[in-house]
Amino acid sequence: MTDKLRPLKIAGLGYCVPETVITNDDLTKLYETSDEWIYTRTGIKERRVVSGNETAIDLGLDAAQKALAKSGLKPEDIDCVISAASVPPQLYPTLACTLQDKLGIPNQVPAFDLTAACTGLIYALQVARGFIGAGIYKTILIVASDNNSKITNWEDRGTSILFGDGAGAMVVTEAEDGIDDILSIQISADGSIGQMIQTNMPGQCCPLVEQADEVGTGKIIMNGKDVYKFAVTTVPAYVEDCIKKSGLTSEEIDYLIPHQANQRIIESIQNRLKYTDDKVISNIKYYGNTSAASIPIALVEGVEQGKIKLGSTAVLCGFGAGMTWGAAVVRLRKGIC
Ligand code: UT7
């Protein structure tokens, strides 16, 4: 089945993070905590947050413009837009529709948001692969953008230490040279454990009827311990399985670019693959968990900092609310970022 799909080329990538930095020390102004506690438990030293009127739309727009520039393609070449955000700044118009307009992508082009929390980029890549593989669309813009700081409960020291804001974008297109940049990809979900991370939207019933017992706060509620256990027991074996399906061995893959949720979770995947530190891309120290954006931010920044040499292969993996998880083995061509 997969052999019959048209090949997909990853043509361009970009990322954007807000300028405002909140350090662990800054958080001590909000509640009792310490840089030492946060850093040893998570690997995080600081995170970026939007401020004023800035939202995930601005971050996504900037990331998308950079990805388009790198791809050498123009807004007119895009024939589908998929946005992935854990919680978009507005439910509608969607992030994808808003970006279609702001980027000057022709206004008949389909644009939609896809919600798979921190696994959003891998889910969007799988959907894009289906569209391109089946010949439905040729060139797709994927934008993963999150302003987590707006849905964070800043009184909860168990969750607000973790999250940060940022965006990543990827332009994918049918590969005219016949080389598929997706060597393997898989996505999964288990709704039966979905209560581990929740964001319940506020909203009352019609005033003429009985009201619900509880009204959502619109803020992240998380059982960190359960999420941690889920991640370290599920993700490493899943990544190994995805590598097996790519036809490569883990030694043959150049980099692990995981979702940046907790340094200890990253290390659990690293240990399973027996990778040395130079093969593992981690920037959680400076950005915290930027949800769906964390993989593309780590990838592009890794290239900019010389940690990733292009003309290589990488295994990407994500996991998050839903619960959802996914992995992909991809080819990183020269010049994509
Ligand atoms: O995309 C997926 C997103 N989610 C995740 O990846 C979350 C994964 N989970 C985690 O990263 C960890 O569970 C946390 C870092 C969130 C928490 O670490 P933990 O080792 O599971 O700590 P805990 O929640 O069990 O708390 C241990 C203690 C508690 O005190 P007591 O009850 O032992 O007295 C907490 O009240 O640490 C306390 N505590 C803190 N102390 C200082 C919790 N948060 C803090 C804090 N500063 N920020």
Side-chain angles (χ1 to χ4, degrees):
M1 178 70 188
T2 324
D3 296 341
K4 290 185 189 138
L5 291 177
R6 295 175 192 217
L8 177 150
K9 172 181 163 184
I10 298 175
L13 286 152
Y15 81 100
C16 174
V17 288
E19 275 183 18
T20 311
V21 177
I22 301 290
T23 65
N24 290 345
D25 283 337
D26 291 333
L27 294 180
T28 63
K29 294 176 199 148
L30 297 178
Y31 38 67
E32 208 185 314
T33 190
S34 65
D35 174 55
E36 198 262 333
W37 192 97
I38 300 172
Y39 186 60
T40 28
R41 289 286 213 289
T42 67
I44 300 166
K45 280 273 181 194
E46 57 190 47
R47 70 287 294 142
R48 303 290 184 102
V49 296
V50 291
S51 63
N53 296 325
E54 191 178 28
T55 71
I57 294 170
D58 304 292
L59 307 178
L61 179 64
D62 188 67
Q65 281 166 335
K66 289 172 180 159
L68 266 169
K70 280 290 172 184
S71 73
L73 294 162
K74 298 192 175 61
E76 308 84 90
D77 297 319
I78 301 294
D79 54 12
C80 178
V81 183
I82 308 174
S83 288
S86 294
V87 178
Q90 56 200 37
L91 287 180
Y92 43 81
T94 60
L95 186 52
C97 287
T98 308
L99 292 174
Q100 180 224 47
D101 175 48
K102 287 184 183 287
L103 288 161
I105 292 169
N107 63 15
Q108 80 286 358
V109 162
F112 63 93
D113 286 15
L114 165 162
T115 307
C118 302
T119 324
L121 182 99
I122 310 272
Y123 265 68
L125 190 56
Q126 175 74 305
V127 171
R129 174 174 162 78
F131 280 146
I132 290 172
I136 297 170
Y137 302 117
K138 195 165 187 248
T139 304
I140 299 179
L141 171 67
I142 297 171
V143 184
S145 188
D146 261 308
N147 45 212
N148 291 311
S149 61
K150 289 189 169 237
I151 57 155
T152 297
N153 175 358
W154 289 103
E155 289 173 4
D156 177 8
R157 63 182 185 168
T159 56
S160 56
I161 54 165
L162 295 175
F163 295 97
D165 300 340
M170 191 184 257
V171 175
V172 290
T173 188
E174 189 179 332
E176 307 213 318
D177 59 9
I179 298 169
D180 199 341
D181 290 347
I182 309 281
L183 299 172
S184 62
I185 183 164
Q186 52 193 34
I187 52 175
S188 297
D190 182 355
S192 73
I193 50 169
Q195 74 291 345
M196 283 183 193
I197 315 177
Q198 298 178 47
T199 299
N200 301 315
M201 301 310 280
Q204 309 272 7
C205 297
C206 164
L208 301 173
V209 303
E210 188 189 343
Q211 296 299 305
D213 293 335
E214 277 182 50
V215 175
T217 61
K219 303 288 180 197
I220 303 170
I221 303 166
M222 183 180 71
N223 182 331
K225 271 211 181 316
D226 284 354
V227 176
Y228 186 89
K229 269 187 236 150
F230 157 79
V232 298
T233 51
T234 309
V235 181
Y238 192 78
V239 170
E240 218 169 39
D241 183 50
C242 188
I243 290 175
K244 215 173 267 171
K245 289 182 178 135
S246 74
L248 298 179
T249 62
S250 54
E251 298 80 53
E252 285 170 321
I253 293 172
D254 298 304
Y255 306 105
L256 164 67
I257 310 174
H259 170 47
Q260 311 281 310
N262 182 313
Q263 182 59 29
R264 291 184 296 149
I265 298 174
I266 294 174
E267 284 163 12
S268 75
I269 310 166
Q270 171 174 3
N271 293 341
R272 180 80 174 219
L273 299 179
K274 301 190 176 68
Y275 278 7
T276 47
D277 288 350
D278 56 319
K279 285 185 79 155
V280 182
I281 307 305
S282 170
N283 63 3
I284 191 169
K285 189 171 177 183
Y286 302 106
Y287 301 117
N289 178 346
T290 56
S291 295
S294 86
I295 296 171
I297 294 175
L299 198 171
V300 184
E301 198 197 57
V303 172
E304 285 173 357
Q305 295 179 343
K307 293 181 196 159
I308 298 177
K309 303 257 178 297
L310 294 174
S312 54
T313 51
V315 57
L316 320 178
C317 67
F319 59 91
M323 300 300 285
T324 57
W325 61 103
V329 175
V330 297
R331 214 182 293 279
L332 303 173
R333 299 184 190 220
K334 291 200 169 135
I336 58 172
C337 53

